[in-house]
Amino acid sequence: TEPFNEEGYQLFLRSVALSSDSKENRSGIHMLERAVALDPGYAPAWAALSKRYYLEARYGKGGRSWIEQANSANQ
């Protein structure tokens, strides 16, 4: 898919540059949540969000609910 919202795309690009460390991962989640809200049809942003949710569930302070969010974003 191609992005249709410039701000959403810029947020996506900024988020992929962040590491998966806990603090930066949470910043990436916030950016990607905003990106998909602005451009819900941009699949790469959803895939990146799903991965960050999973990382938070597995290595951060998330839990089962974050795994469910990862699965939901992946679909």
Side-chain angles (χ1 to χ4, degrees), residues 50 53-54 64-75:
S50 176
Y53 280 153
Y54 174 79
R64 183 72 189 146
S65 66
W66 286 84
I67 293 288
E68 292 168 7
Q69 286 181 283
N71 291 335
S72 178
N74 201 34
Q75 293 185 15

Side-chain angles (χ1 to χ4, degrees), residues 4 6 14 16 20-21 24 32 37-40 47-48 53 58 60-64 66 70 72-75:
F4 290 105
E6 184 64 30
R14 287 179 42 214
V16 297
S20 59
D21 292 339
E24 287 196 9
L32 289 165
L38 292 168
D39 193 352
Y53 280 153
R58 183 74 173 97
K61 295 181 180 178
R64 183 72 189 146
W66 286 84
S72 178
N74 201 34
Q75 293 185 15

Side-chain angles (χ1 to χ4, degrees), residues 10-34:
Q10 291 301 317
L11 287 165
F12 166 73
L13 292 176
R14 287 179 42 214
S15 76
V16 297
L18 297 175
S19 76
S20 59
D21 292 339
S22 185
K23 184 177 180 180
E24 287 196 9
N25 190 52
R26 281 185 242 115
S27 294
I29 287 171
H30 293 297
M31 287 180 200
L32 289 165
E33 287 174 336
R34 177 77 177 138

